[in-house]
Amino acid sequence: MAGQRELKQNPRLQWYRVDRGWSRSELARQLNRSIASEGDQELVGYREVTEQMVKSWETRNGTSKFFAKHLCMVLNKSASALGLLTDEELALRPADPRPYDIAPASGMVNLLGRFTAREVVPVLAGGADETWRSALQAAGVPLDVDQDEVLSVDHRRRATGTDPKAVAAYAQVVAHQRTLYWTSQSRMLLHAAQAHMALGSEMLGAAQGDEPVLAAAVAECALLVARLAFFDLDGFERQALNAFRTAEAGVAHAKDHSLAVAVAAHQAFVPGFDERLADARPFLVAAERQWRNSGHHPLVRAWLHCVSAEIYARNEQVTESRRHLKQAEDYLAKSDGTAPLWMDFFDSSRFAGFAGNTALLAGRFDEAIAWLQQSLESLGAGSGKQRSVLLLDLAAAHAAESPEHAVELAIKACDQLEQAPYRMAVARLPRVHAALSTAPTGGMLVDRTHELLRTQRAIEP
């Protein structure tokens, strides 16, 4: 029959199920929940999804559009990514749109589609027009890459795989952007990282053969985009989810299990912060499974336990939160201080911050103050984002016993946020306001917060 694919195994669907940490029966349960929430169970011909049906889809590569729709929704993937489209349907994919546009008012790059090596590599090599160069340079992309270290724009070497020098140059820019995360304006760096992620995806798509080093660099770049879009900026959740998908594909290609832990655990924060523990758990399970397949780095495991501790604390699972925090402390003690190069977001001072926040969420204020003060005192230079978070958590912990001191701490946090805006810190302000609503000096904090928000709106690019 026209449009019907030959029946064969569908490893893509199986991979994305396994990567979630789900059994076939769990995927069936998630699908039935999705169908019920959409009201689609009333449609003619509907029958409940079973474990056997999921097995059939994975081993024979065929399902109806009805179930394909819900597979895409539940796994947060496109139908093409899940291997659910026929060859005729795949042929309908339109050509890539114009890959970029320069917004004249701001000089920023507005990413509309994928960048090609021919369009972006000359920027890094110094051969593009000055508008391109100034826009990316303002966004924090280092442009001092030697011409010989980038991919040849005519792709002469494509037949033998990606040029190793090009891969090294790409990874070098990723490392620079990772460093810039702590000091650069988040919105501008997001645009730069998105452009670089698109370039890496283009290079990876053009490569013939296995390119694990490039794939890992693309995954790391995508994780940076997701962190900027979710943790730093408000209203960029869609960009974060898209970047997580790119990161997932990258770690799967690279078979980098430690980086896969970071990708899955960061994804758990999205529903976890929204107090949707049931939706966060599969990501935590997937991260734990990836760690077991990795080199068992204790610092990675300690961070994963900290993520679990905070998510469980936010969802009022105090006993489980404390258990994970204790395990994090144990693994931290086993660490020799080394970590993967990309893991610059966790160390002993960050552990103390996690411990303080989880104690605060559990209402153990004295314990929270001790941990948060320890974290604040051990933070290094360039930790403005984390400093504002710690100051606001300290303010909330001090609010009951020392409201005037708490207001001072919160105002210091606002001063810090003026220098380094950070969504995760701003999200803490309502809790601090509520805790200090009856304090004699609470009005000072309200005035300072309004001034901060006014200033940030005025300077927003």
Side-chain angles (χ1 to χ4, degrees), residues 169-247:
Y170 182 86
Q172 181 187 28
V173 175
V174 173
H176 282 301
Q177 290 182 335
R178 182 180 68 239
T179 302
L180 286 168
Y181 173 79
W182 301 105
T183 56
S184 296
Q185 205 281 335
S186 298
R187 199 171 296 237
M188 297 183 76
L189 183 58
L190 174 64
H191 284 286
Q194 281 180 315
H196 199 57
M197 179 179 71
L199 170 61
S201 297
E202 177 74 17
M203 292 170 64
L204 198 56
Q208 294 186 6
D210 202 18
E211 294 288 352
V213 175
L214 175 60
V218 172
E220 184 184 334
C221 184
L223 181 58
L224 175 62
V225 170
R227 288 170 61 199
L228 284 162
F230 179 73
F231 292 99
D232 289 54
L233 300 166
D234 192 21
F236 284 78
E237 286 82 0
R238 180 178 59 82
Q239 288 89 331
L241 294 175
N242 288 338
F244 277 132
R245 284 196 288 268
T246 300

Side-chain angles (χ1 to χ4, degrees), residues 3-11 13 47 52-68 71 82-86 89:
Q4 183 172 351
R5 62 168 67 244
E6 177 187 354
L7 294 181
K8 56 185 178 181
Q9 288 195 349
N10 187 351
L13 178 58
R47 55 195 177 108
Q52 188 59 38
M53 290 169 67
V54 174
K55 180 179 180 181
S56 174
W57 299 337
E58 291 180 350
T59 57
R60 301 182 63 217
N61 204 21
T63 184
S64 68
K65 296 302 179 189
F66 173 82
F67 290 121
L71 282 166
L82 294 175
L84 301 176
L85 299 183
T86 65
E89 288 169 332

